[in-house]
PDB file of all heavy atoms in Angstrom:
ATOM      1  N   PHE A  65      -4.867  -5.894  -1.309  1.00  0.00           N
ATOM      2  CA  PHE A  65      -4.043  -6.899  -0.724  1.00  0.00           C
ATOM      3  C   PHE A  65      -4.037  -7.036   0.734  1.00  0.00           C
ATOM      4  O   PHE A  65      -3.448  -7.845   1.347  1.00  0.00           O
ATOM      5  CB  PHE A  65      -2.674  -6.599  -1.310  1.00  0.00           C
ATOM      6  CG  PHE A  65      -1.587  -7.740  -1.003  1.00  0.00           C
ATOM      7  CD1 PHE A  65      -1.725  -8.877  -1.489  1.00  0.00           C
ATOM      8  CD2 PHE A  65      -0.623  -7.351  -0.159  1.00  0.00           C
ATOM      9  CE1 PHE A  65      -0.740  -9.956  -1.087  1.00  0.00           C
ATOM     10  CE2 PHE A  65       0.317  -8.278   0.221  1.00  0.00           C
ATOM     11  CZ  PHE A  65       0.164  -9.591  -0.366  1.00  0.00           C
ATOM     12  N   ALA A  66      -4.692  -5.957   1.362  1.00  0.00           N
ATOM     13  CA  ALA A  66      -4.562  -5.845   2.786  1.00  0.00           C
ATOM     14  C   ALA A  66      -4.943  -7.129   3.652  1.00  0.00           C
ATOM     15  O   ALA A  66      -4.130  -7.586   4.580  1.00  0.00           O
ATOM     16  CB  ALA A  66      -5.548  -4.683   3.327  1.00  0.00           C
ATOM     17  N   PRO A  67      -5.888  -7.920   3.190  1.00  0.00           N
ATOM     18  CA  PRO A  67      -6.243  -9.070   3.987  1.00  0.00           C
ATOM     19  C   PRO A  67      -5.179 -10.172   4.082  1.00  0.00           C
ATOM     20  O   PRO A  67      -5.161 -11.010   4.865  1.00  0.00           O
ATOM     21  CB  PRO A  67      -7.539  -9.631   3.327  1.00  0.00           C
ATOM     22  CG  PRO A  67      -8.058  -8.509   2.658  1.00  0.00           C
ATOM     23  CD  PRO A  67      -6.995  -7.661   2.267  1.00  0.00           C
ATOM     24  N   ARG A  68      -4.262  -9.964   3.137  1.00  0.00           N
ATOM     25  CA  ARG A  68      -3.176 -11.105   2.982  1.00  0.00           C
ATOM     26  C   ARG A  68      -1.873 -10.415   3.428  1.00  0.00           C
ATOM     27  O   ARG A  68      -0.769 -11.170   3.502  1.00  0.00           O
ATOM     28  CB  ARG A  68      -3.046 -11.533   1.534  1.00  0.00           C
ATOM     29  CG  ARG A  68      -4.310 -12.062   0.940  1.00  0.00           C
ATOM     30  CD  ARG A  68      -4.202 -12.400  -0.562  1.00  0.00           C
ATOM     31  NE  ARG A  68      -3.275 -13.563  -0.752  1.00  0.00           N
ATOM     32  CZ  ARG A  68      -3.022 -13.901  -2.045  1.00  0.00           C
ATOM     33  NH1 ARG A  68      -3.392 -13.233  -3.164  1.00  0.00           N
ATOM     34  NH2 ARG A  68      -2.198 -14.903  -2.196  1.00  0.00           N
ATOM     35  N   CYS A  69      -1.847  -9.182   3.786  1.00  0.00           N
ATOM     36  CA  CYS A  69      -0.531  -8.473   4.021  1.00  0.00           C
ATOM     37  C   CYS A  69      -0.168  -8.521   5.484  1.00  0.00           C
ATOM     38  O   CYS A  69      -0.912  -8.372   6.312  1.00  0.00           O
ATOM     39  CB  CYS A  69      -0.747  -7.092   3.600  1.00  0.00           C
ATOM     40  SG  CYS A  69       0.803  -6.099   3.720  1.00  0.00           S
ATOM     41  N   ARG A  70       1.134  -8.835   5.668  1.00  0.00           N
ATOM     42  CA  ARG A  70       1.665  -8.887   7.003  1.00  0.00           C
ATOM     43  C   ARG A  70       1.812  -7.661   7.743  1.00  0.00           C
ATOM     44  O   ARG A  70       2.177  -7.405   8.916  1.00  0.00           O
ATOM     45  CB  ARG A  70       3.069  -9.619   7.044  1.00  0.00           C
ATOM     46  CG  ARG A  70       3.997  -9.093   6.092  1.00  0.00           C
ATOM     47  CD  ARG A  70       5.260  -9.931   5.867  1.00  0.00           C
ATOM     48  NE  ARG A  70       5.896  -9.705   4.525  1.00  0.00           N
ATOM     49  CZ  ARG A  70       6.959 -10.517   4.328  1.00  0.00           C
ATOM     50  NH1 ARG A  70       7.563 -11.279   4.911  1.00  0.00           N
ATOM     51  NH2 ARG A  70       7.454 -10.261   2.966  1.00  0.00           N
ATOM     52  N   TYR A  71       1.747  -6.523   6.989  1.00  0.00           N
ATOM     53  CA  TYR A  71       1.851  -5.142   7.428  1.00  0.00           C
ATOM     54  C   TYR A  71       0.550  -4.365   7.536  1.00  0.00           C
ATOM     55  O   TYR A  71       0.429  -3.113   7.578  1.00  0.00           O
ATOM     56  CB  TYR A  71       2.804  -4.349   6.639  1.00  0.00           C
ATOM     57  CG  TYR A  71       4.226  -4.924   6.470  1.00  0.00           C
ATOM     58  CD1 TYR A  71       4.557  -5.724   5.361  1.00  0.00           C
ATOM     59  CD2 TYR A  71       5.002  -4.660   7.476  1.00  0.00           C
ATOM     60  CE1 TYR A  71       5.803  -6.242   5.202  1.00  0.00           C
ATOM     61  CE2 TYR A  71       6.361  -5.283   7.372  1.00  0.00           C
ATOM     62  CZ  TYR A  71       6.816  -5.996   6.232  1.00  0.00           C
ATOM     63  OH  TYR A  71       7.931  -6.640   6.128  1.00  0.00           O
ATOM     64  N   ARG A  72      -0.542  -5.180   7.554  1.00  0.00           N
ATOM     65  CA  ARG A  72      -1.896  -4.515   7.470  1.00  0.00           C
ATOM     66  C   ARG A  72      -2.139  -3.545   8.728  1.00  0.00           C
ATOM     67  O   ARG A  72      -1.790  -3.971   9.854  1.00  0.00           O
ATOM     68  CB  ARG A  72      -2.889  -5.506   7.555  1.00  0.00           C
ATOM     69  CG  ARG A  72      -4.348  -4.897   7.418  1.00  0.00           C
ATOM     70  CD  ARG A  72      -5.417  -5.915   7.189  1.00  0.00           C
ATOM     71  NE  ARG A  72      -6.805  -5.339   6.966  1.00  0.00           N
ATOM     72  CZ  ARG A  72      -7.900  -5.997   6.737  1.00  0.00           C
ATOM     73  NH1 ARG A  72      -7.811  -7.303   6.553  1.00  0.00           N
ATOM     74  NH2 ARG A  72      -8.960  -5.304   6.618  1.00  0.00           N
ATOM     75  N   MET A  73      -2.700  -2.411   8.468  1.00  0.00           N
ATOM     76  CA  MET A  73      -2.923  -1.307   9.436  1.00  0.00           C
ATOM     77  C   MET A  73      -4.258  -0.753   9.205  1.00  0.00           C
ATOM     78  O   MET A  73      -4.784  -1.000   8.135  1.00  0.00           O
ATOM     79  CB  MET A  73      -1.941  -0.218   9.397  1.00  0.00           C
ATOM     80  CG  MET A  73      -0.560  -0.674   9.660  1.00  0.00           C
ATOM     81  SD  MET A  73       0.757   0.698   9.299  1.00  0.00           S
ATOM     82  CE  MET A  73       0.821   0.485   7.498  1.00  0.00           C
ATOM     83  N   PRO A  74      -4.972  -0.136  10.118  1.00  0.00           N
ATOM     84  CA  PRO A  74      -6.279   0.423   9.893  1.00  0.00           C
ATOM     85  C   PRO A  74      -6.424   1.318   8.724  1.00  0.00           C
ATOM     86  O   PRO A  74      -7.346   1.398   8.023  1.00  0.00           O
ATOM     87  CB  PRO A  74      -6.531   1.269  11.128  1.00  0.00           C
ATOM     88  CG  PRO A  74      -5.800   0.426  12.255  1.00  0.00           C
ATOM     89  CD  PRO A  74      -4.557  -0.007  11.591  1.00  0.00           C
ATOM     90  N   VAL A  75      -5.290   2.119   8.454  1.00  0.00           N
ATOM     91  CA  VAL A  75      -5.337   3.027   7.238  1.00  0.00           C
ATOM     92  C   VAL A  75      -5.374   2.335   5.957  1.00  0.00           C
ATOM     93  O   VAL A  75      -5.810   2.872   4.974  1.00  0.00           O
ATOM     94  CB  VAL A  75      -4.065   3.954   7.306  1.00  0.00           C
ATOM     95  CG1 VAL A  75      -2.814   3.201   6.985  1.00  0.00           C
ATOM     96  CG2 VAL A  75      -4.216   5.189   6.431  1.00  0.00           C
ATOM     97  N   CYS A  76      -5.051   1.003   5.867  1.00  0.00           N
ATOM     98  CA  CYS A  76      -5.104   0.295   4.740  1.00  0.00           C
ATOM     99  C   CYS A  76      -6.564   0.010   4.176  1.00  0.00           C
ATOM    100  O   CYS A  76      -6.789  -0.249   3.073  1.00  0.00           O
ATOM    101  CB  CYS A  76      -4.545  -1.093   4.836  1.00  0.00           C
ATOM    102  SG  CYS A  76      -2.793  -1.206   5.297  1.00  0.00           S
ATOM    103  N   ASP A  77      -7.570   0.391   4.949  1.00  0.00           N
ATOM    104  CA  ASP A  77      -8.946   0.258   4.564  1.00  0.00           C
ATOM    105  C   ASP A  77      -9.452   1.598   3.976  1.00  0.00           C
ATOM    106  O   ASP A  77     -10.604   1.590   3.481  1.00  0.00           O
ATOM    107  CB  ASP A  77      -9.831  -0.098   5.872  1.00  0.00           C
ATOM    108  CG  ASP A  77      -9.579  -1.343   6.416  1.00  0.00           C
ATOM    109  OD1 ASP A  77      -9.189  -2.294   5.669  1.00  0.00           O
ATOM    110  OD2 ASP A  77      -9.679  -1.530   7.668  1.00  0.00           O
ATOM    111  N   GLU A  78      -8.636   2.574   3.772  1.00  0.00           N
ATOM    112  CA  GLU A  78      -8.874   3.759   2.959  1.00  0.00           C
ATOM    113  C   GLU A  78      -8.372   3.659   1.618  1.00  0.00           C
ATOM    114  O   GLU A  78      -7.421   2.836   1.368  1.00  0.00           O
ATOM    115  CB  GLU A  78      -8.296   4.947   3.798  1.00  0.00           C
ATOM    116  CG  GLU A  78      -8.705   5.123   5.142  1.00  0.00           C
ATOM    117  CD  GLU A  78      -8.055   6.267   5.863  1.00  0.00           C
ATOM    118  OE1 GLU A  78      -7.359   7.032   5.159  1.00  0.00           O
ATOM    119  OE2 GLU A  78      -8.159   6.414   7.183  1.00  0.00           O
ATOM    120  N   PRO A  79      -8.993   4.532   0.665  1.00  0.00           N
ATOM    121  CA  PRO A  79      -8.389   4.519  -0.757  1.00  0.00           C
ATOM    122  C   PRO A  79      -6.824   4.721  -0.636  1.00  0.00           C
ATOM    123  O   PRO A  79      -6.452   5.757   0.079  1.00  0.00           O
ATOM    124  CB  PRO A  79      -9.161   5.633  -1.296  1.00  0.00           C
ATOM    125  CG  PRO A  79     -10.542   5.669  -0.623  1.00  0.00           C
ATOM    126  CD  PRO A  79     -10.094   5.264   0.846  1.00  0.00           C
ATOM    127  N   ILE A  80      -6.230   3.950  -1.448  1.00  0.00           N
ATOM    128  CA  ILE A  80      -4.689   4.096  -1.443  1.00  0.00           C
ATOM    129  C   ILE A  80      -4.236   4.732  -2.628  1.00  0.00           C
ATOM    130  O   ILE A  80      -4.468   4.255  -3.757  1.00  0.00           O
ATOM    131  CB  ILE A  80      -3.980   2.675  -1.292  1.00  0.00           C
ATOM    132  CG1 ILE A  80      -4.559   1.922  -0.159  1.00  0.00           C
ATOM    133  CG2 ILE A  80      -2.438   2.800  -1.087  1.00  0.00           C
ATOM    134  CD1 ILE A  80      -4.507   2.628   1.241  1.00  0.00           C
ATOM    135  N   PRO A  81      -3.438   5.912  -2.559  1.00  0.00           N
ATOM    136  CA  PRO A  81      -2.795   6.405  -3.763  1.00  0.00           C
ATOM    137  C   PRO A  81      -1.566   5.832  -4.227  1.00  0.00           C
ATOM    138  O   PRO A  81      -1.048   4.883  -3.399  1.00  0.00           O
ATOM    139  CB  PRO A  81      -2.526   7.929  -3.247  1.00  0.00           C
ATOM    140  CG  PRO A  81      -2.178   7.676  -1.872  1.00  0.00           C
ATOM    141  CD  PRO A  81      -2.994   6.692  -1.307  1.00  0.00           C
ATOM    142  N   LEU A  82      -0.935   6.239  -5.278  1.00  0.00           N
ATOM    143  CA  LEU A  82       0.378   5.675  -5.765  1.00  0.00           C
ATOM    144  C   LEU A  82       1.408   6.596  -5.135  1.00  0.00           C
ATOM    145  O   LEU A  82       1.301   7.723  -5.149  1.00  0.00           O
ATOM    146  CB  LEU A  82       0.457   5.700  -7.322  1.00  0.00           C
ATOM    147  CG  LEU A  82      -0.333   4.590  -8.043  1.00  0.00           C
ATOM    148  CD1 LEU A  82      -0.325   4.922  -9.597  1.00  0.00           C
ATOM    149  CD2 LEU A  82       0.334   3.211  -7.819  1.00  0.00           C
ATOM    150  N   PHE A  83       2.483   6.010  -4.671  1.00  0.00           N
ATOM    151  CA  PHE A  83       3.553   6.729  -4.153  1.00  0.00           C
ATOM    152  C   PHE A  83       4.736   6.591  -5.072  1.00  0.00           C
ATOM    153  O   PHE A  83       5.070   5.654  -5.478  1.00  0.00           O
ATOM    154  CB  PHE A  83       3.982   6.257  -2.617  1.00  0.00           C
ATOM    155  CG  PHE A  83       2.899   6.502  -1.671  1.00  0.00           C
ATOM    156  CD1 PHE A  83       1.895   5.537  -1.463  1.00  0.00           C
ATOM    157  CD2 PHE A  83       2.930   7.722  -0.910  1.00  0.00           C
ATOM    158  CE1 PHE A  83       0.868   5.802  -0.609  1.00  0.00           C
ATOM    159  CE2 PHE A  83       1.996   7.854   0.050  1.00  0.00           C
ATOM    160  CZ  PHE A  83       1.013   7.000   0.222  1.00  0.00           C
ATOM    161  N   ASP A  84       5.396   7.850  -5.217  1.00  0.00           N
ATOM    162  CA  ASP A  84       6.417   7.979  -6.188  1.00  0.00           C
ATOM    163  C   ASP A  84       7.789   7.827  -5.612  1.00  0.00           C
ATOM    164  O   ASP A  84       8.113   8.550  -4.682  1.00  0.00           O
ATOM    165  CB  ASP A  84       6.250   9.319  -6.983  1.00  0.00           C
ATOM    166  CG  ASP A  84       7.158   9.476  -8.226  1.00  0.00           C
ATOM    167  OD1 ASP A  84       8.083   8.695  -8.296  1.00  0.00           O
ATOM    168  OD2 ASP A  84       6.965  10.466  -8.929  1.00  0.00           O
ATOM    169  N   PHE A  85       8.634   6.877  -6.077  1.00  0.00           N
ATOM    170  CA  PHE A  85      10.027   6.845  -5.635  1.00  0.00           C
ATOM    171  C   PHE A  85      11.057   7.234  -6.560  1.00  0.00           C
ATOM    172  O   PHE A  85      12.319   7.058  -6.255  1.00  0.00           O
ATOM    173  CB  PHE A  85      10.256   5.293  -5.246  1.00  0.00           C
ATOM    174  CG  PHE A  85       9.218   4.656  -4.397  1.00  0.00           C
ATOM    175  CD1 PHE A  85       8.051   4.117  -4.753  1.00  0.00           C
ATOM    176  CD2 PHE A  85       9.290   4.834  -2.957  1.00  0.00           C
ATOM    177  CE1 PHE A  85       7.023   3.549  -3.929  1.00  0.00           C
ATOM    178  CE2 PHE A  85       8.365   4.344  -2.120  1.00  0.00           C
ATOM    179  CZ  PHE A  85       7.377   3.719  -2.606  1.00  0.00           C
ATOM    180  N   GLY A  86      10.613   7.957  -7.561  1.00  0.00           N
ATOM    181  CA  GLY A  86      11.402   8.674  -8.460  1.00  0.00           C
ATOM    182  C   GLY A  86      11.982   7.655  -9.557  1.00  0.00           C
ATOM    183  O   GLY A  86      11.765   6.402  -9.528  1.00  0.00           O
ATOM    184  N   ALA A  87      12.463   8.184 -10.693  1.00  0.00           N
ATOM    185  CA  ALA A  87      12.762   7.504 -11.929  1.00  0.00           C
ATOM    186  C   ALA A  87      11.624   6.595 -12.440  1.00  0.00           C
ATOM    187  O   ALA A  87      11.948   5.571 -13.065  1.00  0.00           O
ATOM    188  CB  ALA A  87      13.998   6.719 -11.625  1.00  0.00           C
ATOM    189  N   GLY A  88      10.460   7.119 -12.287  1.00  0.00           N
ATOM    190  CA  GLY A  88       9.278   6.279 -12.789  1.00  0.00           C
ATOM    191  C   GLY A  88       8.830   5.109 -11.960  1.00  0.00           C
ATOM    192  O   GLY A  88       7.911   4.435 -12.298  1.00  0.00           O
ATOM    193  N   HIS A  89       9.463   4.873 -10.819  1.00  0.00           N
ATOM    194  CA  HIS A  89       8.980   3.861  -9.823  1.00  0.00           C
ATOM    195  C   HIS A  89       7.896   4.235  -8.935  1.00  0.00           C
ATOM    196  O   HIS A  89       8.091   5.177  -8.193  1.00  0.00           O
ATOM    197  CB  HIS A  89      10.341   3.301  -9.097  1.00  0.00           C
ATOM    198  CG  HIS A  89      10.058   2.171  -8.277  1.00  0.00           C
ATOM    199  ND1 HIS A  89      10.976   1.609  -7.508  1.00  0.00           N
ATOM    200  CD2 HIS A  89       8.980   1.103  -8.363  1.00  0.00           C
ATOM    201  CE1 HIS A  89      10.504   0.447  -6.996  1.00  0.00           C
ATOM    202  NE2 HIS A  89       9.293   0.210  -7.460  1.00  0.00           N
ATOM    203  N   VAL A  90       6.703   3.547  -9.032  1.00  0.00           N
ATOM    204  CA  VAL A  90       5.662   3.956  -8.195  1.00  0.00           C
ATOM    205  C   VAL A  90       5.115   2.622  -7.584  1.00  0.00           C
ATOM    206  O   VAL A  90       5.159   1.543  -8.131  1.00  0.00           O
ATOM    207  CB  VAL A  90       4.504   4.598  -8.930  1.00  0.00           C
ATOM    208  CG1 VAL A  90       4.991   6.063  -9.482  1.00  0.00           C
ATOM    209  CG2 VAL A  90       4.026   3.874 -10.064  1.00  0.00           C
ATOM    210  N   ALA A  91       4.375   2.757  -6.433  1.00  0.00           N
ATOM    211  CA  ALA A  91       3.849   1.680  -5.713  1.00  0.00           C
ATOM    212  C   ALA A  91       2.677   2.080  -4.996  1.00  0.00           C
ATOM    213  O   ALA A  91       2.545   3.275  -4.401  1.00  0.00           O
ATOM    214  CB  ALA A  91       4.713   0.937  -4.760  1.00  0.00           C
ATOM    215  N   ARG A  92       1.449   1.227  -4.884  1.00  0.00           N
ATOM    216  CA  ARG A  92       0.381   1.631  -4.223  1.00  0.00           C
ATOM    217  C   ARG A  92       0.310   0.901  -2.808  1.00  0.00           C
ATOM    218  O   ARG A  92      -0.199  -0.131  -2.589  1.00  0.00           O
ATOM    219  CB  ARG A  92      -0.914   1.171  -4.893  1.00  0.00           C
ATOM    220  CG  ARG A  92      -2.207   1.739  -4.568  1.00  0.00           C
ATOM    221  CD  ARG A  92      -3.304   1.269  -5.378  1.00  0.00           C
ATOM    222  NE  ARG A  92      -3.197   1.462  -6.743  1.00  0.00           N
ATOM    223  CZ  ARG A  92      -3.510   2.635  -7.374  1.00  0.00           C
ATOM    224  NH1 ARG A  92      -4.081   3.677  -6.674  1.00  0.00           N
ATOM    225  NH2 ARG A  92      -3.321   2.775  -8.694  1.00  0.00           N
TER     226      ARG A  92
END
C-alpha cells in the first residue's frame, strides 16, 4: 500500500511484520 499511503517512509520498502494491539487486533 506504500505507493498510495500519505505516511510513506523509506522503511516501508522493507518487509513489514504484523503488529499486535491486543485482544486479537493486528495490523501490518
Side-chain angles (χ1 to χ4, degrees):
F65 185 64
R68 307 172 70 184
C69 184
R70 51 190 155 180
Y71 300 100
R72 183 174 185 175
M73 296 169 283
V75 71
C76 296
D77 295 327
E78 301 175 10
I80 311 299
L82 283 169
F83 291 88
D84 189 349
F85 302 95
H89 189 186
V90 296
R92 194 181 301 278

